[in-house]
Amino acid sequence: MVAGTESPAAAPKRITRVTSFDVAEEAGVSQSTVSRALAGDTSISEPTRQRVIAAAARLNYQVNENAARLRRGKTGTLAVVMICRAGEDRKDLNPFYYSLLGSTCAAASARGYEVLVSFQDSAENFWGHFEERRKADGMIVIGTSENTPAWDYFGELDPDTNWVCWGAPNDGFPWVRTDNEGGATLAARHMLVRGYTRIVCIGSETSPQRQFKERYDGYAAAMRDAGHEPVLQRIERGLPREEQGRRAAAALAASGQPFDAIFAVSDEIALGALKELIALGYKVPDQVGVVGFDGVRAGAWSTPPLTTIEPDFEVAGTLLVERLLAAMAGEPETPRRSPVRLVVRGSTRP
Amino acid sequence: MVAGTESPAAAPKRITRVTSFDVAEEAGVSQSTVSRALAGDTSISEPTRQRVIAAAARLNYQVNENAARLRRGKTGTLAVVMICRAGEDRKDLNPFYYSLLGSTCAAASARGYEVLVSFQDSAENFWGHFEERRKADGMIVIGTSENTPAWDYFGELDPDTNWVCWGAPNDGFPWVRTDNEGGATLAARHMLVRGYTRIVCIGSETSPQRQFKERYDGYAAAMRDAGHEPVLQRIERGLPREEQGRRAAAALAASGQPFDAIFAVSDEIALGALKELIALGYKVPDQVGVVGFDGVRAGAWSTPPLTTIEPDFEVAGTLLVERLLAAMAGEPETPRRSPVRLVVRGSTRP
DNA sequence: TTGTAAGCGTTATCAG
DNA sequence: CTGATAACGCTTACAA
């Protein structure tokens, strides 16, 4: 009401530079009362609060977060570092990581935190001093275990740093990860139940991708449990996943090793193997069953669609945030394993 | 050297609370000299700068960004708002948006900006006052045009707000988007060159997805150019994309309308249509060609793999950032259209 | 219940 | 080239 819309001199042109002092004047109270009223301090009387709120609305006031944070010493922000493979086309980044980023942001926001995201791919831009610079109260690092220089960098940060990570190459890191063993066991049992018995695992127990080892272990445990010997068909290093799957399937077929099912430690490998098997004339799922791990979208579109183990992304993000907040509060333990579920599609027989 | 690693009293336990005053004392200069030396001010003599840098390193000093920003009045940060469909499972968010997020972060970082990301899905959490709160100097909003409440909200922000968006429902917004028309024309021409002539477009000219209209227009222009009448097979609203494609293909086949190719306005629609065509016994690509739009990963895995128009994600992110920075600087025009390329796979004949 | 006043840790202005 | 000395806008004791 004070300054009408057509008052040319009063209309603020630039994004508001209104301070709590202006609001105080407008409301006829002191500046500290404004701060308290807006912060929801219970000692402020309701009429006063209303007056302040109205004045703030009229002036279009918003607190300057930098000043507030400087004073408080806390930021209300969590940093998320996404580690990409150096020089990698972002489009080729496993979409899984993007989903995880999304659910992490959501979980942080549910706990009242904002998220500062940075993508880092190589030594020139590794950076983890968010707390020291008061940019964030803690840090979540998400990446593939293959970017060794990155993990070397983050492994050597100040040990008092509050952080958690996804994709850690070893257990010396404050990790959270998928229930790889459980998932692999689930996959193997599913195949056993469907009548496959000569199940070969395409994967690796020595890959820097620690999860591959865990998945192999889960598969092996389920096999032994059922009285079968686990068999590993190794992937060749340094190739695209799909190609690794293709070659492994070809090698397996050529080896004479009898098999009626394949458990691949990742969907991309599984998809490659699937393509190769079909090219070689195998009938999937009747003659050979195939199960992957990761729940990538493309699996729904292959022929036949890929049966897979799908990690729960929503839970994973929540777990990361919960663990970080617990660490920040000095409470040590919260769950570190994110659950998985079996998605049955057409690459295993009914 | 001053405090050795084994000096128990000197070792800071918590994340450093060192200020520029401490560094000043350590280096034997004034506090303002420290600030200047570290900021790279040219008026500082080289010996002094070195002394300061060494002292800062010794004390593990990092500037408090909140104080710096408060003083400067600039944040060096761009906000990115990701608009999701309300209640949507984050995993189902079009991976395209994640790629765009990634390339936007990369572009921002290349221009010296940080990125503050927030995911917003409904009225309870729509929020765009980053500038007023001094959390960011500008804002990029990325979303599907279908979340109408979101666009209503962002459309009514202070007109002085510095922002750009991807997915705007109409031209009243400061938009950047894919070269939809050009891409669709590219698709249609590709099919014409490969000998298809009765090309039907599966899509819509009235969808809130403005891009669908643009894609139809591009297709129609290319058809008319070649002396053919464009034909539109409409999708039904409110269904999952794949289902829309399926039904449209079924309806087309049932209609008696002669056709030897389909241009679908999105890959998911194309994949649905492809599946339906094959189920109906059509031979793809010999009898019927299919081209989609978006370049989703799943398209590489369908049978046959889907020929498509792939937007350039890297460029798109750069465009968004460039446009925003230009707007912030008051320079009005930069390109708004992000380029596309044709990816030929198996769903069109050689 | 509200007001007064002291910082939070920088950057920037002004002298010297 | 360097040193004092104001701000920046808020939160939070401490008083009243």
Side-chain angles (χ1 to χ4, degrees), chain A residues 13 16 91 134 160 303 313, chain B residues 13 16 91 160 303 313:
Chain A
K13 279 305 167 208
T16 165
K91 180 147 186 297
R134 302 295 134 96
D160 289 332
T303 309
F313 310 110
Chain B
K13 278 305 167 206
T16 166
K91 178 146 186 298
D160 289 331
T303 310
F313 310 111

Side-chain angles (χ1 to χ4, degrees), chain B residues 222-238:
Chain B
M223 290 294 280
R224 296 212 176 88
D225 238 39
H228 302 288
E229 248 331 275
V231 180
L232 175 65
Q233 177 70 43
R234 283 191 187 71
I235 52 178
E236 300 172 46
R237 292 208 54 174

Side-chain angles (χ1 to χ4, degrees), chain A residues 126-137:
Chain A
F126 291 148
W127 198 81
H129 298 280
F130 296 93
E131 283 185 77
E132 290 92 326
R133 290 233 173 152
R134 302 295 134 96
K135 284 158 162 311
D137 301 332

Side-chain angles (χ1 to χ4, degrees), chain B residues 173-204:
Chain B
F173 290 78
W175 56 270
V176 167
R177 62 173 84 109
T178 296
D179 181 9
N180 291 304
E181 280 206 44
T185 298
L186 202 58
R189 295 227 174 105
H190 163 71
M191 300 175 107
L192 290 164
V193 166
R194 298 292 168 106
Y196 301 103
T197 53
R198 304 181 155 281
I199 309 169
V200 174
C201 173
I202 293 187
S204 156

Side-chain angles (χ1 to χ4, degrees), chain A residues 12-18 60 62-67 69-70 73-75 77 88-95 98-99 101-103 105-106 109 114-119 125 127 129-135 158 160-162 242 268 271-272 275 294-303 305 310-311 313-314 328, chain B residues 12-18 60 62-67 69-70 73-75 77 88-95 98-99 101-103 105-106 109 114-119 125 127 129-135 158 160-162 242 268 271-272 275 294-303 305 310-311 313-314 328:
Chain A
K13 279 305 167 208
R14 290 219 50 70
I15 277 293
T16 165
R17 207 160 276 264
V18 184
N60 225 299
Q62 301 271 358
V63 292
N64 180 321
E65 288 286 332
N66 296 314
R69 291 174 174 189
L70 172 58
K74 297 260 166 192
T75 67
T77 300
E88 163 185 75
D89 184 349
R90 240 172 217 82
K91 180 147 186 297
D92 293 334
L93 180 58
N94 190 332
Y98 285 122
S99 299
L101 170 61
S103 73
C105 289
S109 144
E114 300 210 304
V115 174
L116 185 64
V117 180
S118 71
F119 284 71
N125 60 15
W127 198 81
H129 298 280
F130 296 93
E131 283 185 77
E132 290 92 326
R133 290 233 173 152
R134 302 295 134 96
K135 284 158 162 311
D158 184 327
D160 289 332
T161 304
N162 290 311
E242 183 194 344
E268 314 245 315
L271 288 167
K275 249 187 186 160
D294 279 343
V296 306
R297 281 189 152 220
W301 295 100
S302 59
T303 309
E310 183 178 89
F313 310 110
E314 295 296 324
M328 283 160 50
Chain B
K13 278 305 167 206
R14 290 220 48 72
I15 278 293
T16 166
R17 206 160 277 264
V18 183
N60 224 299
Q62 301 271 357
V63 291
N64 180 324
E65 288 286 332
N66 296 314
R69 290 174 176 191
L70 171 59
K74 297 260 166 194
T75 66
T77 298
E88 163 185 76
D89 184 348
R90 241 173 216 81
K91 178 146 186 298
D92 292 335
L93 180 58
N94 190 331
Y98 285 121
S99 301
L101 171 60
S103 73
C105 289
S109 144
E114 301 209 301
V115 175
L116 185 64
V117 180
S118 72
F119 284 69
N125 59 17
W127 199 82
H129 298 281
F130 295 93
E131 282 185 77
E132 290 93 325
R133 290 235 172 150
R134 302 295 136 92
K135 285 159 163 309
D158 184 328
D160 289 331
T161 304
N162 290 310
E242 183 195 345
E268 314 244 315
L271 288 167
K275 248 187 186 160
D294 280 343
V296 306
R297 283 185 152 224
W301 295 100
S302 60
T303 310
E310 183 177 87
F313 310 111
E314 296 296 323
M328 283 160 49

